[in-house]
């Protein structure tokens, strides 16, 4: 919004509207606690994240792969975060990007951090695993000026102008 707040609408099965409920909405509704201070947004399949003017990140929605960046407070069969939640361990973030079930942050120092599903190596830490809410540093990467996350891959543009990508590379 003009005040730097966030509004969402649509399906809310997994709390992805951030209202603290699981009720769908055909009209825009305020995201709980995010009435101002938001400078960027990103969405995955069923999760959303906001970058705040403080350089921190809040995420909410489906968290079955840790894509919200926190352990689910309820058992695995109910991995939903229906309200914006601070992603711990992040500071000085200048950009965010969400893939299907992973999320990444670009820091002011030109490094990247990612969390969530890593089955195809889209977190960039040199491992292929199911992933989770733990924030990992993208390995061997410095001088990033912008980034993007695809369905199960991630790319970065370096200060040299070169592009680097990792994750799924199938046809």
């Amino acid at each position: 919004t003009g005040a730097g707040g966030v509004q969402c609408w649509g399906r809310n099965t997994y709390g992805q509207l951030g209202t603290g409920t699981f009720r769908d909405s055909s009209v825009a509704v305020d995201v709980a606690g995010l009435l101002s201070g938001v400078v960027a947004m990103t969405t995955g399949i069923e999760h959303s994240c906001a970058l705040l003017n403080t350089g921190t990140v809040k995420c909410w929605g489906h968290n079955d792969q840790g894509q919200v960046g926190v352990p689910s407070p309820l058992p695995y069969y109910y991995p939903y975060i229906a309200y914006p939640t601070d992603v711990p361990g992040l500071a000085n973030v200048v950009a965010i990007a969400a893939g299907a079930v992973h999320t990444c942050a670009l820091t002011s120092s030109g490094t990247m951090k990612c969390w969530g599903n890593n089955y195809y190596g889209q977190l960039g830490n040199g491992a292929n695993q199911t992933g989770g809410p733990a924030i990992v540093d993208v390995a061997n990467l410095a001088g990033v000026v912008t980034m993007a996350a695809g369905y199960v891959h991630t790319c970065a543009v370096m200060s040299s102008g070169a592009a680097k990508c990792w994750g799924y590379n199938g046809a």
Side-chain angles (χ1 to χ4, degrees), residues 11-157:
R11 191 174 126 203
N12 197 31
T13 306
Y14 305 108
Q16 62 265 43
L17 297 185
T19 60
T21 72
F22 297 98
R23 288 188 296 277
D24 298 346
S25 179
S26 60
V27 298
V29 293
D30 290 328
V31 173
L34 293 181
L35 300 177
S36 65
V38 175
V39 297
M41 285 286 309
T42 189
T43 60
I45 292 179
E46 295 162 335
H47 79 288
S48 301
C49 296
L51 172 60
L52 305 181
N53 58 10
T54 59
T56 59
V57 176
K58 290 184 181 274
C59 295
W60 61 94
H62 205 179
N63 196 37
D64 62 329
Q65 301 291 315
Q67 62 267 40
V68 171
V70 296
S72 289
L74 300 170
Y76 178 78
Y77 57 85
Y78 195 73
Y80 317 131
I81 309 289
Y83 47 88
T85 303
D86 291 320
V87 179
L90 290 180
N92 303 313
V93 175
V94 296
I96 53 177
V101 288
H102 76 289
T103 312
C104 295
L106 172 61
T107 69
S108 60
S109 64
T111 61
M112 287 177 60
K113 298 178 179 291
C114 298
W115 59 95
N117 182 282
N118 196 33
Y119 189 75
Y120 294 103
Q122 63 266 40
L123 299 187
N125 64 340
N128 290 31
Q129 70 229 24
T130 56
I135 311 301
V136 299
D137 292 318
V138 175
N140 304 314
L141 196 67
V144 178
V145 295
T146 191
M147 62 169 183
Y151 193 74
V152 287
H153 69 283
T154 309
C155 295
V157 176

